[in-house]
Amino acid sequence: MMKNRFAVVLAAGKGTRMKSSLYKVLHPVCGKPMVQHVVDQLNACDVDDVVTIVGHGAGKVKNQLGDRVSYAIQEEQLGTGHAVMQAESVIGKKEGTTLVVSGDTPLLTADTLISLMAHHEETKAKATILTATADDPTGYGRVLRNDGDQVERIVEHKDATYKERRVKEINTGTYVFDNHALFDALNHVDNDNVQGEYYLPDVIEILQSRGETVSAYIAEDFHETMGVNDRIALSEAEKWMKRRINRHWMTQGVTMTDPEQTYISSDAVIGADTVIEPGCMIKGRVSIGSNCHIGPQTVVEESEVADNSVIRQSTVHHSKIGSRVNIGPFAHLRPETDLGDDVRVGNFVELKKMSMGNGSKASHLSYLGDAEIGKGVNVGCGSITVNYDGKNKFLTTIEDGAFIGCNANLIAPVTVGEGAYVAAGSTITDDVPSEALGIARARQSNKEGYKKK
């Protein structure tokens, strides 16, 4: 029978080396805060409870993670051991296995964490260290094993002998413990050190002194275990996360002509035979169908794109795009845009909070905001839905099959009926009935002294 499993996420440090007003674990990697990456992977591990230790910026971390986790406050930053102690009131009395992971390790995967916990339980250890093999282990704590391949001790780089520094197996700072053994040992950790802090690795020494088994599990990929403490490490994490995401989608049948110049969020979903060109940024929760062509230099954020659609050199935010839609170049789809199938949105067209039915098109140089446009509508070059009077916004309705001539201004609220025409250069202030022609042109009239009046 599988034991109860818990996780403690260390997310209380301010991160002074980041030199930022943004709380460290909230810095994004491929568009998602580091701590969210960690929690998402833990949720995929089916742990019974995730306790996030918060301190600096606690409110912002809670806003990000919501009620998916429990919280414990570390009022004073007195070290990693002290941080884990704060979880005692939540899980300290429970039987089971506890994973301790830092909120600044965004590259850790659920597969590695599941394997780590399984190894811990199979070896009947009281503590298991996630280790990795580093080509250059400088600066890392070394994991020293005895002749029986058991962990003997962890020595910090600065305290290691020349022989010990040649060891390439390093401590990643991620651990699994028997829950009761963890909190019992934490109560015996002291702060007799230069920093005056309570260190979590001291638990390992306490358990070893009691004759308990301490195991280690070597991660397959060193880069997966990296922690982020400054902007340089943040850029490295971004690089490795980007490679991981792009490799995944390429193995699923997505073509990337230059993956090093393609940025895809970890929450995106992309269909097979879609081509993504250089310079594209797919941000947030995005769904792109099969046989699409995206880019170059296109941004798609928090949007849905159905099969067989093309978006070139354009920006799409919080929008829904149907099948066989052709967008761009240089179009801007702002939030709450909803395009049906076979729609054409051409160069320098801006859309906002509007819908467009199947087969409609606005081929160039138009602004269409706060509008409901039916099926088979043609919107001519330079047409505008004049939706704002300086105080309120109003709706423009263009019904199926209507034809809007070039340089037309539709002063909302207004309706152009089914099959109606609006003559080029018209400023329409009244509804145009179905199948009628609306013409609103006037001779030039100069109003003397208007500015003073």
Side-chain angles (χ1 to χ4, degrees):
M1 183 176 177
M2 191 176 73
K3 293 182 178 180
N4 294 326
R5 289 178 171 179
F6 314 105
V8 176
V9 180
L10 305 181
K14 186 177 181 181
T16 54
R17 280 185 280 173
M18 298 297 286
K19 300 189 184 304
S20 174
S21 59
L22 182 64
Y23 188 39
K24 181 173 80 166
V25 298
L26 294 178
H27 278 267
V29 172
C30 288
K32 182 190 290 186
M34 290 192 285
V35 71
Q36 188 70 67
H37 279 290
V38 173
V39 169
D40 286 350
Q41 295 303 311
L42 290 173
N43 287 335
C45 295
D46 292 326
V47 294
D48 297 282
D49 198 356
V50 177
V51 184
T52 302
I53 311 301
V54 292
H56 293 292
K60 292 181 179 179
V61 175
K62 290 181 178 180
N63 288 340
Q64 174 62 41
L65 299 179
D67 58 4
R68 299 169 66 187
V69 302
S70 304
Y71 298 94
I73 303 291
Q74 186 186 23
E75 299 287 357
E76 295 182 88
Q77 312 305 298
L78 299 177
T80 52
H82 180 259
V84 177
M85 285 181 195
Q86 310 314 304
E88 186 170 16
S89 62
V90 184
I91 60 172
K93 299 185 184 303
K94 297 180 179 180
E95 296 276 354
T97 298
T98 296
L99 170 67
V100 180
V101 60
S102 175
D104 63 6
T105 52
L107 295 171
L108 282 173
T109 64
D111 287 345
T112 293
L113 297 176
I114 289 169
S115 297
L116 169 64
M117 288 187 284
H119 177 83
H120 170 82
E121 292 165 1
E122 288 166 4
T123 57
K124 296 180 171 56
K126 292 296 183 183
T128 301
I129 308 161
L130 180 64
T131 68
T133 303
D135 292 335
D136 179 8
T138 303
Y140 289 95
R142 306 303 201 280
V143 177
L144 306 180
R145 296 176 181 257
N146 59 25
D147 293 338
D149 205 34
Q150 298 297 312
V151 175
E152 190 172 80
R153 63 193 177 98
I154 301 170
V155 59
E156 294 303 316
H157 177 87
K158 63 181 182 298
D159 299 322
T161 65
Y162 174 76
K163 182 179 179 181
E164 290 167 342
R165 288 186 179 187
R166 296 179 66 185
V167 173
K168 292 191 174 184
E169 186 178 6
I170 58 98
N171 176 21
T172 68
T174 296
Y175 308 89
V176 179
F177 299 96
D178 172 88
N179 196 54
H180 283 172
L182 167 63
F183 288 104
D184 180 68
L186 279 172
N187 288 318
H188 293 86
V189 171
D190 62 43
N191 64 343
D192 185 18
N193 52 62
V194 175
Q195 298 295 328
E197 295 184 347
Y198 300 88
Y199 294 135
L200 183 60
D202 290 353
V203 169
I204 302 296
E205 292 186 20
I206 291 171
L207 293 175
Q208 286 174 322
S209 71
R210 296 174 178 176
E212 303 288 6
T213 300
V214 175
S215 179
Y217 178 81
I218 303 175
E220 292 184 8
D221 182 1
F222 165 73
H223 297 102
E224 182 181 329
T225 68
M226 70 179 293
V228 174
N229 290 311
D230 56 30
R231 306 291 183 127
I232 297 170
L234 184 68
S235 71
E236 284 292 306
E238 180 89 14
K239 178 179 73 175
W240 288 104
M241 181 69 79
K242 182 183 72 171
R243 286 182 177 179
R244 176 192 296 173
I245 293 168
N246 291 359
R247 281 177 176 271
H248 167 75
W249 288 115
M250 286 189 284
T251 64
Q252 300 302 306
V254 175
T255 294
M256 298 182 194
T257 54
D258 187 352
E260 291 300 312
Q261 298 298 321
T262 302
Y263 298 82
I264 300 173
S265 87
S266 59
D267 292 325
V269 178
I270 308 171
D273 291 319
T274 284
V275 176
I276 301 181
E277 301 228 43
C280 288
M281 300 189 72
I282 312 300
K283 305 168 72 174
R285 295 185 182 278
V286 170
S287 173
I288 299 175
S290 300
N291 294 295
C292 293
H293 198 114
I294 310 296
Q297 307 298 330
T298 288
V299 177
V300 181
E301 181 176 7
E302 299 286 344
S303 298
E304 297 178 27
V305 182
D307 298 343
N308 302 298
S309 289
V310 176
I311 308 174
R312 293 169 294 174
Q313 293 158 302
S314 295
T315 300
V316 178
H317 294 285
H318 297 80
S319 296
K320 184 176 180 180
I321 297 167
S323 299
R324 299 175 302 280
V325 173
N326 199 311
I327 296 173
F330 313 117
H332 186 186
L333 275 62
R334 292 166 56 192
E336 298 184 58
T337 295
D338 186 349
L339 305 182
D341 300 335
D342 302 296
V343 167
R344 171 77 172 100
V345 176
N347 52 292
F348 303 106
V349 173
E350 181 176 356
L351 309 178
K352 190 268 305 185
K353 198 176 181 181
M354 59 85 67
S355 61
M356 186 177 282
N358 297 344
S360 290
K361 56 186 178 180
S363 296
H364 27 231
L365 299 164
S366 293
Y367 169 75
L368 305 173
D370 296 276
E372 293 178 357
I373 298 176
K375 301 175 183 178
V377 172
N378 182 86
V379 179
C381 176
S383 295
I384 297 171
T385 57
V386 185
N387 57 337
Y388 186 48
D389 67 358
K391 184 178 180 181
N392 297 304
K393 300 233 175 139
F394 298 96
L395 179 69
T396 296
T397 301
I398 305 175
E399 296 181 351
D400 296 351
F403 186 99
I404 310 300
C406 294
N407 293 315
N409 299 309
L410 306 180
I411 311 297
V414 71
T415 297
V416 178
E418 184 174 353
Y421 282 70
V422 171
S426 293
T427 295
I428 300 297
T429 57
D430 297 319
D431 293 350
V432 180
S434 297
E435 301 186 353
L437 170 63
I439 304 175
R441 300 170 181 161
R443 294 184 180 277
Q444 180 173 332
S445 175
N446 297 330
K447 307 294 183 183
E448 299 293 340
Y450 179 79
K451 181 178 180 181
K452 291 180 180 179
K453 186 167 70 174

Short mmCIF file of all heavy atoms in Angstrom, two decimals, residues 34 36-47 99 101-102 105-117 130 174 217-226 240-241 244-245 248 266:
data_model
loop_
_atom_site.label_atom_id
_atom_site.label_comp_id
_atom_site.label_asym_id
_atom_site.label_seq_id
_atom_site.Cartn_x
_atom_site.Cartn_y
_atom_site.Cartn_z
N MET A 34 8.14 30.78 -11.45
CA MET A 34 8.89 29.58 -11.09
C MET A 34 8.14 28.70 -10.10
O MET A 34 8.07 27.48 -10.26
CB MET A 34 10.25 29.97 -10.50
CG MET A 34 11.22 30.56 -11.49
SD MET A 34 12.90 30.69 -10.82
CE MET A 34 12.71 32.09 -9.71
N GLN A 36 5.02 28.41 -9.66
CA GLN A 36 3.88 27.76 -10.31
C GLN A 36 4.33 26.52 -11.07
O GLN A 36 3.64 25.49 -11.07
CB GLN A 36 3.17 28.73 -11.25
CG GLN A 36 1.86 28.20 -11.81
CD GLN A 36 0.78 28.09 -10.76
OE1 GLN A 36 0.32 29.11 -10.25
NE2 GLN A 36 0.37 26.87 -10.44
N HIS A 37 5.50 26.61 -11.72
CA HIS A 37 6.07 25.41 -12.36
C HIS A 37 6.22 24.29 -11.34
O HIS A 37 5.85 23.14 -11.61
CB HIS A 37 7.45 25.73 -12.95
CG HIS A 37 7.42 26.41 -14.29
ND1 HIS A 37 7.02 25.78 -15.44
CD2 HIS A 37 7.75 27.67 -14.65
CE1 HIS A 37 7.11 26.61 -16.47
NE2 HIS A 37 7.56 27.77 -16.02
N VAL A 38 6.78 24.62 -10.18
CA VAL A 38 7.03 23.61 -9.16
C VAL A 38 5.73 22.99 -8.68
O VAL A 38 5.58 21.77 -8.62
CB VAL A 38 7.81 24.23 -7.97
CG1 VAL A 38 7.92 23.23 -6.82
CG2 VAL A 38 9.19 24.68 -8.42
N VAL A 39 4.74 23.83 -8.36
CA VAL A 39 3.46 23.32 -7.84
C VAL A 39 2.73 22.50 -8.91
O VAL A 39 2.13 21.47 -8.59
CB VAL A 39 2.59 24.49 -7.33
CG1 VAL A 39 1.17 24.04 -7.05
CG2 VAL A 39 3.22 25.10 -6.09
N ASP A 40 2.79 22.92 -10.15
CA ASP A 40 2.14 22.15 -11.22
C ASP A 40 2.73 20.74 -11.32
O ASP A 40 2.00 19.76 -11.52
CB ASP A 40 2.28 22.86 -12.56
CG ASP A 40 1.38 24.08 -12.67
OD1 ASP A 40 0.50 24.27 -11.80
OD2 ASP A 40 1.57 24.88 -13.63
N GLN A 41 4.05 20.63 -11.18
CA GLN A 41 4.68 19.31 -11.24
C GLN A 41 4.33 18.47 -10.01
O GLN A 41 4.11 17.26 -10.11
CB GLN A 41 6.21 19.46 -11.37
CG GLN A 41 6.67 20.10 -12.66
CD GLN A 41 6.19 19.36 -13.90
OE1 GLN A 41 6.31 18.15 -14.00
NE2 GLN A 41 5.62 20.11 -14.85
N LEU A 42 4.23 19.12 -8.86
CA LEU A 42 3.84 18.40 -7.65
C LEU A 42 2.41 17.89 -7.76
O LEU A 42 2.10 16.77 -7.32
CB LEU A 42 3.98 19.31 -6.43
CG LEU A 42 5.41 19.65 -6.01
CD1 LEU A 42 5.41 20.69 -4.90
CD2 LEU A 42 6.16 18.39 -5.55
N ASN A 43 1.53 18.70 -8.34
CA ASN A 43 0.14 18.25 -8.52
C ASN A 43 0.07 17.03 -9.43
O ASN A 43 -0.79 16.16 -9.25
CB ASN A 43 -0.71 19.39 -9.09
CG ASN A 43 -0.99 20.47 -8.06
OD1 ASN A 43 -0.97 20.22 -6.86
ND2 ASN A 43 -1.26 21.68 -8.52
N ALA A 44 0.99 16.96 -10.38
CA ALA A 44 1.04 15.80 -11.27
C ALA A 44 1.60 14.56 -10.56
O ALA A 44 1.50 13.45 -11.08
CB ALA A 44 1.89 16.11 -12.50
N CYS A 45 2.17 14.76 -9.36
CA CYS A 45 2.71 13.63 -8.58
C CYS A 45 1.66 13.03 -7.65
O CYS A 45 1.96 12.07 -6.93
CB CYS A 45 3.89 14.10 -7.73
SG CYS A 45 5.33 14.64 -8.66
N ASP A 46 0.47 13.62 -7.62
CA ASP A 46 -0.62 13.12 -6.76
C ASP A 46 -0.23 13.11 -5.28
O ASP A 46 -0.54 12.15 -4.56
CB ASP A 46 -1.06 11.71 -7.20
CG ASP A 46 -1.76 11.74 -8.56
OD1 ASP A 46 -2.45 12.72 -8.84
OD2 ASP A 46 -1.59 10.78 -9.33
N VAL A 47 0.45 14.15 -4.82
CA VAL A 47 0.74 14.25 -3.39
C VAL A 47 -0.55 14.65 -2.67
O VAL A 47 -1.42 15.32 -3.23
CB VAL A 47 1.86 15.26 -3.11
CG1 VAL A 47 3.18 14.77 -3.69
CG2 VAL A 47 1.54 16.64 -3.66
N LEU A 99 8.28 15.28 0.63
CA LEU A 99 9.22 15.83 -0.35
C LEU A 99 9.43 17.30 -0.03
O LEU A 99 8.47 18.04 0.16
CB LEU A 99 8.64 15.66 -1.75
CG LEU A 99 9.34 16.37 -2.92
CD1 LEU A 99 10.70 15.76 -3.16
CD2 LEU A 99 8.49 16.26 -4.18
N VAL A 101 11.14 20.70 -1.54
CA VAL A 101 11.66 21.22 -2.80
C VAL A 101 11.62 22.74 -2.76
O VAL A 101 10.74 23.34 -2.14
CB VAL A 101 10.83 20.67 -4.00
CG1 VAL A 101 9.38 21.06 -3.89
CG2 VAL A 101 11.40 21.12 -5.33
N SER A 102 12.57 23.36 -3.40
CA SER A 102 12.63 24.82 -3.42
C SER A 102 11.74 25.39 -4.51
O SER A 102 11.61 24.81 -5.59
CB SER A 102 14.07 25.27 -3.65
OG SER A 102 14.13 26.68 -3.77
N THR A 105 13.17 26.13 -8.33
CA THR A 105 13.70 25.05 -9.17
C THR A 105 12.65 24.69 -10.23
O THR A 105 12.04 23.63 -10.18
CB THR A 105 14.03 23.81 -8.32
OG1 THR A 105 12.88 23.46 -7.53
CG2 THR A 105 15.21 24.08 -7.40
N PRO A 106 12.45 25.57 -11.21
CA PRO A 106 11.33 25.43 -12.14
C PRO A 106 11.47 24.28 -13.13
O PRO A 106 10.49 23.90 -13.78
CB PRO A 106 11.32 26.77 -12.88
CG PRO A 106 12.74 27.23 -12.83
CD PRO A 106 13.24 26.79 -11.48
N LEU A 107 12.67 23.71 -13.28
CA LEU A 107 12.88 22.70 -14.30
C LEU A 107 12.63 21.28 -13.80
O LEU A 107 12.61 20.34 -14.60
CB LEU A 107 14.31 22.80 -14.84
CG LEU A 107 14.64 24.11 -15.59
CD1 LEU A 107 16.13 24.19 -15.88
CD2 LEU A 107 13.85 24.22 -16.87
N LEU A 108 12.43 21.10 -12.50
CA LEU A 108 12.15 19.77 -11.99
C LEU A 108 10.86 19.23 -12.60
O LEU A 108 9.87 19.95 -12.75
CB LEU A 108 12.01 19.81 -10.46
CG LEU A 108 13.30 19.87 -9.65
CD1 LEU A 108 12.98 20.07 -8.18
CD2 LEU A 108 14.13 18.61 -9.85
N THR A 109 10.87 17.94 -12.93
CA THR A 109 9.70 17.33 -13.56
C THR A 109 9.02 16.36 -12.61
O THR A 109 9.65 15.79 -11.71
CB THR A 109 10.09 16.57 -14.84
OG1 THR A 109 10.95 15.48 -14.48
CG2 THR A 109 10.81 17.49 -15.83
N ALA A 110 7.75 16.14 -12.86
CA ALA A 110 7.00 15.17 -12.07
C ALA A 110 7.62 13.78 -12.17
O ALA A 110 7.68 13.04 -11.18
CB ALA A 110 5.54 15.14 -12.51
N ASP A 111 8.11 13.40 -13.35
CA ASP A 111 8.71 12.08 -13.52
C ASP A 111 9.89 11.88 -12.57
O ASP A 111 10.02 10.82 -11.93
CB ASP A 111 9.20 11.90 -14.97
CG ASP A 111 8.05 11.71 -15.95
OD1 ASP A 111 6.92 11.42 -15.49
OD2 ASP A 111 8.28 11.84 -17.16
N THR A 112 10.75 12.89 -12.47
CA THR A 112 11.90 12.78 -11.57
C THR A 112 11.46 12.72 -10.12
O THR A 112 11.97 11.92 -9.32
CB THR A 112 12.85 13.97 -11.79
OG1 THR A 112 13.42 13.87 -13.10
CG2 THR A 112 13.98 13.98 -10.76
N LEU A 113 10.50 13.55 -9.73
CA LEU A 113 10.05 13.59 -8.35
C LEU A 113 9.34 12.29 -7.96
O LEU A 113 9.51 11.79 -6.84
CB LEU A 113 9.12 14.79 -8.13
CG LEU A 113 9.78 16.15 -8.35
CD1 LEU A 113 8.75 17.26 -8.19
CD2 LEU A 113 10.95 16.37 -7.40
N ILE A 114 8.56 11.73 -8.87
CA ILE A 114 7.90 10.45 -8.60
C ILE A 114 8.94 9.34 -8.43
O ILE A 114 8.86 8.51 -7.51
CB ILE A 114 6.91 10.11 -9.73
CG1 ILE A 114 5.70 11.06 -9.68
CG2 ILE A 114 6.45 8.66 -9.64
CD1 ILE A 114 4.80 10.97 -10.90
N SER A 115 9.94 9.32 -9.30
CA SER A 115 11.00 8.32 -9.20
C SER A 115 11.79 8.49 -7.91
O SER A 115 12.19 7.49 -7.28
CB SER A 115 11.94 8.42 -10.41
OG SER A 115 11.25 8.14 -11.61
N LEU A 116 12.03 9.74 -7.52
CA LEU A 116 12.75 10.01 -6.27
C LEU A 116 11.99 9.46 -5.07
O LEU A 116 12.57 8.78 -4.22
CB LEU A 116 12.94 11.53 -6.13
CG LEU A 116 13.43 12.05 -4.78
CD1 LEU A 116 14.84 11.54 -4.49
CD2 LEU A 116 13.40 13.58 -4.76
N MET A 117 10.68 9.72 -5.01
CA MET A 117 9.89 9.23 -3.87
C MET A 117 9.78 7.72 -3.88
O MET A 117 9.83 7.07 -2.82
CB MET A 117 8.50 9.89 -3.90
CG MET A 117 8.53 11.36 -3.52
SD MET A 117 6.89 12.10 -3.36
CE MET A 117 6.42 12.28 -5.09
N LEU A 130 18.09 14.06 -3.55
CA LEU A 130 18.16 14.11 -5.01
C LEU A 130 19.51 14.68 -5.38
O LEU A 130 19.84 15.82 -5.02
CB LEU A 130 17.04 14.97 -5.59
CG LEU A 130 17.04 15.09 -7.12
CD1 LEU A 130 16.77 13.74 -7.77
CD2 LEU A 130 16.00 16.11 -7.57
N THR A 174 17.08 19.15 -3.02
CA THR A 174 15.75 18.54 -2.98
C THR A 174 15.86 17.23 -2.21
O THR A 174 16.78 16.43 -2.45
CB THR A 174 15.22 18.28 -4.39
OG1 THR A 174 15.04 19.53 -5.06
CG2 THR A 174 13.89 17.55 -4.36
N TYR A 217 19.26 9.52 -4.85
CA TYR A 217 18.74 9.20 -6.18
C TYR A 217 19.33 10.20 -7.16
O TYR A 217 19.20 11.42 -6.98
CB TYR A 217 17.22 9.26 -6.20
CG TYR A 217 16.62 8.99 -7.56
CD1 TYR A 217 16.48 7.69 -8.02
CD2 TYR A 217 16.22 10.03 -8.40
CE1 TYR A 217 15.94 7.43 -9.28
CE2 TYR A 217 15.69 9.79 -9.65
CZ TYR A 217 15.55 8.49 -10.09
OH TYR A 217 15.04 8.23 -11.33
N ILE A 218 19.99 9.69 -8.21
CA ILE A 218 20.68 10.57 -9.15
C ILE A 218 19.72 10.96 -10.29
O ILE A 218 19.19 10.10 -10.99
CB ILE A 218 21.93 9.90 -9.75
CG1 ILE A 218 22.88 9.46 -8.63
CG2 ILE A 218 22.64 10.84 -10.70
CD1 ILE A 218 24.09 8.69 -9.12
N ALA A 219 19.48 12.25 -10.44
CA ALA A 219 18.65 12.74 -11.54
C ALA A 219 19.36 12.50 -12.86
O ALA A 219 20.59 12.61 -12.96
CB ALA A 219 18.36 14.23 -11.35
N GLU A 220 18.59 12.17 -13.88
CA GLU A 220 19.19 11.88 -15.19
C GLU A 220 19.78 13.12 -15.84
O GLU A 220 20.76 13.05 -16.56
CB GLU A 220 18.14 11.27 -16.12
CG GLU A 220 17.69 9.87 -15.70
CD GLU A 220 16.72 9.26 -16.70
OE1 GLU A 220 16.52 9.87 -17.79
OE2 GLU A 220 16.16 8.19 -16.41
N ASP A 221 19.16 14.28 -15.59
CA ASP A 221 19.58 15.51 -16.26
C ASP A 221 19.98 16.55 -15.21
O ASP A 221 19.15 17.00 -14.42
CB ASP A 221 18.44 16.05 -17.12
CG ASP A 221 18.80 17.31 -17.90
OD1 ASP A 221 19.96 17.76 -17.79
OD2 ASP A 221 17.92 17.84 -18.60
N PHE A 222 21.25 16.91 -15.21
CA PHE A 222 21.73 17.90 -14.24
C PHE A 222 20.96 19.22 -14.35
O PHE A 222 20.61 19.84 -13.34
CB PHE A 222 23.23 18.15 -14.47
CG PHE A 222 23.75 19.38 -13.78
CD1 PHE A 222 23.92 19.40 -12.41
CD2 PHE A 222 24.05 20.53 -14.51
CE1 PHE A 222 24.40 20.54 -11.77
CE2 PHE A 222 24.51 21.66 -13.88
CZ PHE A 222 24.69 21.67 -12.51
N HIS A 223 20.67 19.65 -15.57
CA HIS A 223 20.03 20.95 -15.75
C HIS A 223 18.65 21.01 -15.11
O HIS A 223 18.19 22.07 -14.70
CB HIS A 223 19.94 21.30 -17.24
CG HIS A 223 21.27 21.45 -17.90
ND1 HIS A 223 21.81 20.46 -18.70
CD2 HIS A 223 22.18 22.45 -17.86
CE1 HIS A 223 22.99 20.86 -19.14
NE2 HIS A 223 23.24 22.06 -18.65
N GLU A 224 17.98 19.87 -15.04
CA GLU A 224 16.65 19.83 -14.44
C GLU A 224 16.66 20.26 -12.98
O GLU A 224 15.67 20.77 -12.46
CB GLU A 224 16.09 18.41 -14.57
CG GLU A 224 14.69 18.25 -14.03
CD GLU A 224 14.18 16.83 -14.15
OE1 GLU A 224 14.59 16.12 -15.10
OE2 GLU A 224 13.38 16.42 -13.29
N THR A 225 17.79 20.08 -12.31
CA THR A 225 17.85 20.32 -10.87
C THR A 225 18.31 21.73 -10.51
O THR A 225 18.38 22.07 -9.33
CB THR A 225 18.82 19.33 -10.22
OG1 THR A 225 20.17 19.61 -10.64
CG2 THR A 225 18.46 17.89 -10.58
N MET A 226 18.60 22.56 -11.50
CA MET A 226 19.20 23.85 -11.20
C MET A 226 18.25 24.77 -10.45
O MET A 226 17.05 24.82 -10.70
CB MET A 226 19.69 24.54 -12.49
CG MET A 226 18.58 25.03 -13.40
SD MET A 226 19.22 25.87 -14.88
CE MET A 226 19.95 27.33 -14.14
N TRP A 240 16.78 26.34 -21.00
CA TRP A 240 16.56 24.90 -20.91
C TRP A 240 15.08 24.55 -20.94
O TRP A 240 14.68 23.53 -21.53
CB TRP A 240 17.24 24.34 -19.66
CG TRP A 240 18.72 24.32 -19.81
CD1 TRP A 240 19.62 25.18 -19.22
CD2 TRP A 240 19.50 23.45 -20.63
NE1 TRP A 240 20.90 24.89 -19.62
CE2 TRP A 240 20.85 23.83 -20.48
CE3 TRP A 240 19.19 22.37 -21.45
CZ2 TRP A 240 21.88 23.17 -21.14
CZ3 TRP A 240 20.21 21.72 -22.11
CH2 TRP A 240 21.54 22.12 -21.94
N MET A 241 14.24 25.38 -20.34
CA MET A 241 12.80 25.13 -20.38
C MET A 241 12.29 25.27 -21.82
O MET A 241 11.48 24.46 -22.29
CB MET A 241 12.06 26.09 -19.47
CG MET A 241 10.55 25.89 -19.44
SD MET A 241 10.05 24.35 -18.64
CE MET A 241 10.21 24.82 -16.92
N ARG A 244 13.20 22.22 -23.79
CA ARG A 244 12.37 21.08 -23.40
C ARG A 244 10.99 21.15 -24.04
O ARG A 244 10.49 20.18 -24.60
CB ARG A 244 12.23 21.03 -21.87
CG ARG A 244 11.32 19.91 -21.38
CD ARG A 244 10.98 20.08 -19.92
NE ARG A 244 12.14 19.98 -19.07
CZ ARG A 244 12.14 20.23 -17.76
NH1 ARG A 244 11.02 20.62 -17.16
NH2 ARG A 244 13.22 20.09 -17.06
N ILE A 245 10.37 22.32 -23.96
CA ILE A 245 9.03 22.51 -24.53
C ILE A 245 9.06 22.31 -26.04
O ILE A 245 8.22 21.60 -26.61
CB ILE A 245 8.48 23.90 -24.17
CG1 ILE A 245 8.24 23.99 -22.65
CG2 ILE A 245 7.20 24.21 -24.93
CD1 ILE A 245 7.98 25.40 -22.17
N HIS A 248 9.53 18.74 -27.12
CA HIS A 248 8.32 17.95 -26.92
C HIS A 248 7.37 18.12 -28.11
O HIS A 248 6.87 17.13 -28.65
CB HIS A 248 7.60 18.39 -25.64
CG HIS A 248 6.20 17.87 -25.53
ND1 HIS A 248 5.92 16.55 -25.22
CD2 HIS A 248 4.99 18.48 -25.72
CE1 HIS A 248 4.61 16.37 -25.23
NE2 HIS A 248 4.02 17.52 -25.52
N SER A 266 4.62 26.67 -21.37
CA SER A 266 4.44 25.28 -20.96
C SER A 266 2.97 24.88 -20.94
O SER A 266 2.65 23.69 -20.85
CB SER A 266 5.05 25.06 -19.58
OG SER A 266 4.46 25.92 -18.63
#
